């Protein structure tokens, strides 16, 4: 990022700049799939847009072909305004503001994922529980030149590499996120060649979901500026590590003490009864959560059986093959948390976080018992013809996950029937399209052998 842009952004933020002071403002919202959408207006139109909103067709939210919900309205949330910390190529300043989406009656649109999450947080607070979320998204930095899909370096987990242009992308991204109010804890090399992760500080559910989308957009922008691609696809490279989205969740009290509710010094492993019930709820609804957390055909290439792949419907503290992990230092109460290891960045984080909270409540309300931890480090899920795995597996493909979502009343109620219907329709369309293709692997394997 040019130094001038960073300096200008710092000056703008310190001066308390408003949307009207920008050259342009991008009105941000997400479709059901979790992709950032935007409408850009000149600053001269800001006040009118803020007061009256802007109409948008429901097919933009629900997917092409579904025009049953027209006349939606974007209403900017001034409290969610951000100064974009880089200028356009011609030097213009751009502001960002997330929007509420209202229906024709002026009510929150039923399939607006940010609204669903906001409502879930309110419901959680009414139970005396404040959700705290963190997210770590892996991504590959690939060269935007020939040969295509070539990683920027040959490093592996935590390596210090000498190809520093990739580090510069992470630094540019970290600077930009900091300027948008997102505290970056650090960045490092992940297990695959050219694979990185930028870790930002945990926070409330809505802010964390928003920041994850901004991270993806910002990393892609900064990578393009340096002749690279930031790729969040779950499994972009065959025979290489996939890109995970590790979601960290805990609950704290809503009183002034904000006591960490997942920690109990007198309980086994310091896991409070509330923590155990919440985790049991997540295990109960793990298959439906997989449909939301792993929504593409490609997602299940990453969740294929392999050492360290998080495919077990189980929890542990040290087992890399379990989908859920209890993390944190037992001596630091506020660090006790649940880590979901199976999701990937193709998810809509607002919908996924909403469903996680619903699974928590179901476990708490029903007093579900938590099964024991699974710590068989050398175990791997059985292949066809092999022995039966002692614990269940997550769905092995997208259709199985979508069926689980449709059969899970708790998760369906949380995300809403309209969003769930759009989600499953999109997933089945992708699955159908995939099966119309003839891949190079099939040609190589069968062209002359059958």
């Amino acid at each position: 990022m040019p130094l001038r842009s960073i300096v200008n952004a710092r000056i703008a933020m310190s001066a308390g700049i408003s949307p009207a002071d920008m050259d342009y403002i991008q009105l941000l919202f997400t479709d059901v799939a979790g992709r950032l959408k935007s409408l850009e207006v000149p600053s001269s139109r800001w006040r009118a847009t803020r007061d009256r909103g802007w109409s948008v067709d429901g097919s933009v939210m629900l997917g092409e072909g579904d025009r049953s919900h027209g006349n939606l309205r974007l209403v900017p949330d001034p409290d969610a305004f951000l100064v974009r910390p880089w200028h356009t190529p011609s030097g213009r300043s751009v502001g960002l503001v997330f929007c509420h989406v209202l229906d024709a009656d002026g009510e929150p649109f039923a399939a607006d994922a940010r609204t669903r999450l906001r409502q879930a947080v309110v419901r959680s607070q009414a139970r005396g529980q404040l959700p705290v979320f963190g997210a770590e998204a892996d991504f590959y930095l690939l060269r935007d030149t020939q040969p295509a899909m070539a990683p920027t370096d040959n490093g592996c987990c935590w390596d210090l590499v000498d190809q520093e242009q990739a580090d510069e992308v992470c630094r540019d991204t970290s600077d930009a996120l900091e300027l948008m109010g997102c505290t970056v804890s650090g960045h490092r090399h992940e297990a695959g060649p050219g694979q990185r992760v930028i870790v930002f500080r945990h926070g409330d559910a809505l802010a964390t979901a928003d920041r994850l989308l901004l991270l993806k957009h910002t990393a892609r922008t900064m990578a393009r500026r340096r002749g690279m691609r930031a790729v969040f696809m779950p499994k972009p490279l065959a025979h290489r590590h996939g890109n995970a989205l590790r979601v960290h969740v805990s609950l704290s009290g809503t009183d002034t003490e904000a006591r960490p509710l997942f920690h109990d010094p007198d309980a086994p492993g310091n896991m409070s009864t509330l923590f155990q019930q919440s985790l049991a709820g997540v295990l109960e609804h793990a298959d439906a959560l997989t449909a939301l957390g792993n929504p593409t055909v490609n997602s299940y290439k990453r969740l294929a059986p392999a050492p360290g792949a998080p495919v077990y419907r189980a929890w542990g503290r040290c087992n890399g093959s379990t989908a859920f992990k209890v993390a944190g230092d037992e001596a630091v109460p506020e660090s006790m948390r649940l880590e979901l290891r199976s999701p990937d960045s193709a998810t809509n984080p607002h919908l996924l976080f909403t469903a996680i909270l619903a699974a928590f409540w179901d476990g708490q309300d029903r007093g579900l018992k938590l099964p024991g931890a699974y710590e068989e480090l050398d175990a791997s899920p059985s292949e066809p013809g092999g022995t039966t795995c002692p614990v269940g597996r997550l769905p092995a493909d997208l259709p199985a996950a979508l069926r689980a979502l449709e059969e899970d009343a708790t998760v369906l109620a949380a995300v809403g029937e309209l969003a769930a219907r759009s989600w499953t329709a999109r997933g089945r369309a992708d699955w159908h399209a995939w099966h119309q293709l003839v891949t190079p692997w099939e040609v190589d394997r069968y062209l002359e052998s059958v």
Side-chain angles (χ1 to χ4, degrees), residues 117-360:
L117 180 55
R118 189 184 302 107
Q119 292 169 342
V121 170
V122 171
R123 181 179 172 187
S124 186
Q125 290 174 320
R127 301 168 70 99
Q129 303 168 9
L130 180 65
V132 180
F133 277 80
E136 299 176 54
D138 299 339
F139 60 97
Y140 275 90
L141 286 171
L142 305 178
R143 300 187 189 281
D144 204 12
T145 56
Q146 295 298 327
M149 303 291 282
T152 52
D153 60 63
N154 295 315
C156 62
C157 205
W158 293 76
D159 271 1
L160 177 64
V161 296
D162 54 11
Q163 298 98 325
E164 210 166 352
Q165 280 301 305
D167 286 321
E168 284 290 83
V169 172
C170 293
R171 291 165 187 150
D172 291 346
T173 304
S174 297
D175 284 346
L177 291 173
E178 288 274 357
L179 291 168
M180 288 188 283
C182 176
T183 301
V184 174
S185 301
H187 65 86
R188 61 175 174 82
H189 208 292
E190 256 297 347
Q195 190 180 36
R196 303 301 175 108
V197 60
I198 296 175
V199 181
F200 55 83
R201 184 172 174 79
H202 56 265
D204 70 77
L206 191 62
T208 299
D210 289 348
R211 288 166 181 171
L212 179 59
L213 297 179
L214 290 174
L215 163 66
K216 292 171 63 177
H217 174 69
T218 304
R220 288 173 178 145
T221 300
M222 297 305 157
R224 289 285 189 185
R225 292 186 167 203
R226 294 186 180 272
M228 306 177 204
R229 289 186 182 183
V231 176
F232 291 83
M233 180 179 173
K235 186 74 171 180
L237 302 175
H239 313 299
R240 299 292 189 183
H241 289 80
N243 284 324
L245 172 66
R246 290 169 290 278
V247 178
H248 301 261
V249 199
S250 63
L251 299 174
S252 63
T254 55
D255 54 11
T256 56
E257 295 181 2
R259 179 173 58 88
L261 300 180
F262 275 2
H263 183 271
D264 182 352
D266 299 322
N270 289 356
M271 294 175 62
S272 69
T273 299
L274 186 75
F275 191 179
Q276 295 180 49
Q277 293 173 344
S278 299
L279 176 49
V282 166
L283 290 170
E284 179 85 358
H285 299 283
D287 289 2
L289 293 176
T290 301
L292 295 173
N294 307 88
T296 71
V297 172
N298 182 253
S299 297
Y300 298 85
K301 302 291 180 70
R302 173 180 161 259
L303 292 184
V311 297
Y312 282 151
R313 192 190 302 107
W315 72 278
R317 292 182 181 271
C318 304
N319 190 347
S321 295
T322 60
F324 309 102
K325 177 182 177 182
V326 171
D329 185 344
E330 295 181 8
V332 183
E334 59 271 19
S335 73
M336 289 287 289
R337 63 193 184 277
L338 171 63
E339 178 183 337
L340 291 84
R341 303 182 61 253
S342 57
D344 61 59
S345 290
T347 187
N348 181 331
H350 298 89
L351 286 183
L352 177 61
F353 291 3
T354 299
I356 291 169
L357 293 176
F360 278 6

Side-chain angles (χ1 to χ4, degrees), residues 39 55 72 109 142 168 176 260 366:
L39 168 75
S55 62
L72 302 180
F109 181 48
L142 305 178
E168 284 290 83
R366 294 167 58 195

Side-chain angles (χ1 to χ4, degrees), residues 71 87 147 207 220 233 293 314 424 432:
N71 301 320
H87 286 182
R220 288 173 178 145
M233 180 179 173
T424 54
H432 178 74

Side-chain angles (χ1 to χ4, degrees), residues 32-33 58 61-69 109-111 116 291-292 351 402 405-408 411-429:
V32 169
M61 297 281 293
L62 299 171
E64 292 299 327
D66 190 337
R67 300 187 178 277
S68 56
H69 295 272
F109 181 48
R116 304 299 298 197
L292 295 173
L351 286 183
L402 294 176
L405 175 61
E406 290 175 322
E407 295 169 359
D408 194 312
V411 173
L412 285 178
V415 302
E417 185 272 337
L418 185 57
R421 188 173 70 234
S422 174
W423 191 271
T424 54
R426 188 188 303 269
R428 289 202 169 96

